[in-house]
Amino acid sequence: MTATVQIDLPEKASKRKRNLLDFADWSADEVGALFDTADVMAQVLTRTIKKVPALQGFTVGTLFFEDSTRTRLSFERAARAQSADVISFAAGGSSLSKGESLKDTLRTIDQMQADLYVVRHPVAGVPHQLARWTDASIVNAGDGRRAHPTQALLDAYTFRSRFEGFDGFEGKRLAIVGDVLHSRVARSNVELWRKLGGEVVLCGPAPLLPREVAAGVRHTHRLADAVEGAHAVMALRLQRERMASGLLPSVAEYVTRYQLTEEALAMADNHALVMHPGPINRDVEIASDVADGPRSVIEAQVASGVPIRMAVLYTLLVGKR
Ligand code: CP
């Protein structure tokens, strides 16, 4: 059944943008408009019929060259909730195994007339390359360790949604703890949080912190320093799939020094949120009771992924009409 329920969207949200590869060409106002659009989408998702015809006639392709649970499913949910058609490509089981190149794969899928591709790839820069090869819009759903912009959007949106009368990111501090070096989530959160006027502190053992930290971003090897006064503390998984062997001599030592525990969180702001982009490794980077505790918004982050990705699809596609 196609619902005829209408939505009343903020005017700024309809400004034409072609791609979301990172935040380089997105202004703070444009991100704010995305959040306002996500608020409208979140309202839609509270209705009995959680579907609007906003993107009827559009086709969204999800191109995943790397595993995903949250990102792929929430993009598909976000597309269908706006009545778009969805085609899905996963590298496993595709003709890539028969020697087809990335470009020929894209050219093949392009014949199915998708208007927008959501792309995840283990190699940094692939979404940018695909954007040069197709007229369809591209949304970066994670490229190597470079960027994962919709994860950062849903993280910031979750943070914003948790404070009554939220008055902006200025004066708010996000502490990101763990394997920052291999984390595209950390890079996108630094980029976005700073764009919105917030403060970021990065924390982890020396081999897991990048040598080059963005201007104005503090880093520390002491968890207590990072957590003190933080308004949100985000734990990151050890990303072994992107990690050279020998970087971390002892997981047990890492757990002792960097695991987010209630004790470690004692010095955070009274209302501090505990975040994690997922998937979590319980009792490694985060204690299980903290992951399930009252400060944790880990499941709320997943839920925010749907309205945020609805807003991204809407913003990029509606201008194509
Ligand atoms: N946070 C995140 O990107 O999760 P998935 O790998 O499950 O999509």
Side-chain angles (χ1 to χ4, degrees):
M1 183 176 70
T2 301
T4 54
V5 185
Q6 294 300 323
I7 46 175
D8 187 14
L9 285 153
E11 203 151 295
K12 273 199 286 186
S14 61
K15 191 172 171 191
R16 183 79 179 98
K17 276 274 194 238
R18 182 168 168 232
N19 304 312
L20 175 57
L21 302 171
D22 49 39
F23 298 113
D25 59 348
W26 287 72
S27 68
D29 278 352
E30 286 167 335
V31 172
L34 261 182
F35 288 161
D36 292 343
T37 304
D39 284 340
V40 178
M41 300 305 181
Q43 280 293 320
V44 168
L45 295 168
T46 65
R47 297 176 186 168
T48 312
I49 297 171
K50 298 169 177 55
K51 190 163 184 167
V52 288
L55 298 183
Q56 207 162 37
F58 285 110
T59 298
V60 171
T62 56
L63 312 186
F64 276 66
F65 298 83
E66 190 187 89
D67 294 344
S68 167
T69 298
R70 282 149 282 268
T71 311
R72 187 174 60 78
L73 288 177
S74 64
F75 265 114
E76 292 180 2
R77 174 90 177 84
R80 292 193 174 105
Q82 295 179 89
S83 306
D85 294 315
V86 177
I87 56 174
S88 298
F89 167 91
S94 77
S95 289
L96 280 172
S97 64
K98 301 172 193 165
E100 192 162 57
S101 71
L102 180 64
K103 189 170 188 179
D104 283 333
T105 299
L106 180 70
R107 287 172 67 163
T108 301
I109 301 169
D110 251 350
Q111 299 313 305
M112 294 160 211
Q113 298 183 307
D115 301 285
L116 179 149
Y117 295 116
V118 176
V119 180
R120 171 168 290 188
H121 201 285
V123 176
V126 165
H128 295 70
Q129 181 61 66
L130 297 191
R132 290 190 281 273
W133 285 339
T134 180
D135 291 334
S137 291
I138 301 282
V139 178
N140 183 358
D143 62 327
R145 58 168 88 169
R146 213 189 66 82
H148 191 352
T150 60
Q151 179 68 45
L153 284 170
L154 72 89
D155 293 338
Y157 182 73
T158 305
F159 183 83
R160 167 191 184 268
S161 308
R162 284 286 157 151
F163 294 94
E164 194 130 341
F166 184 72
D167 61 354
F169 287 81
E170 267 175 47
K172 306 290 191 313
R173 189 187 314 152
L174 168 66
I176 303 179
V177 181
D179 181 3
V180 177
L181 181 68
H182 300 97
S183 176
R184 55 198 176 204
V185 173
R187 276 175 188 75
S188 283
N189 265 297
V190 167
E191 192 183 12
L192 181 62
W193 201 269
R194 300 270 302 143
K195 183 156 278 195
L196 298 176
E199 186 188 336
V200 182
V201 53
L202 303 175
C203 177
L208 298 183
L209 279 186
R211 280 206 193 106
E212 306 279 323
V213 179
V217 175
R218 190 158 64 85
H219 72 277
T220 174
H221 303 310
R222 292 192 63 238
L223 181 57
D225 283 348
V227 166
E228 189 176 357
H231 301 93
V233 183
M234 178 181 290
L236 297 176
R237 181 175 64 85
L238 295 172
Q239 291 141 92
R240 294 172 196 281
E241 70 276 22
R242 292 195 276 275
M243 196 183 288
S245 63
L247 265 187
L248 199 65
S250 158
V251 172
E253 190 184 323
Y254 176 85
V255 167
T256 305
R257 291 189 61 195
Y258 295 104
Q259 186 185 86
L260 277 197
T261 59
E262 283 297 347
E263 194 187 354
L265 287 164
M267 295 300 283
D269 181 80
N270 283 343
H271 304 288
L273 304 180
V274 170
M275 310 185 89
H276 195 306
I280 69 172
N281 287 168
R282 285 178 183 270
D283 296 319
V284 181
E285 71 273 10
I286 186 165
S288 201
D289 61 333
V290 170
D292 298 331
R295 294 172 187 258
S296 171
V297 292
I298 295 171
E299 288 183 351
Q301 287 171 263
V302 178
S304 293
V306 180
I308 275 291
R309 287 166 175 141
M310 286 174 77
V312 168
L313 297 180
Y314 181 85
T315 302
L316 297 182
L317 284 174
V318 78
K320 286 192 174 227
R321 284 216 195 280

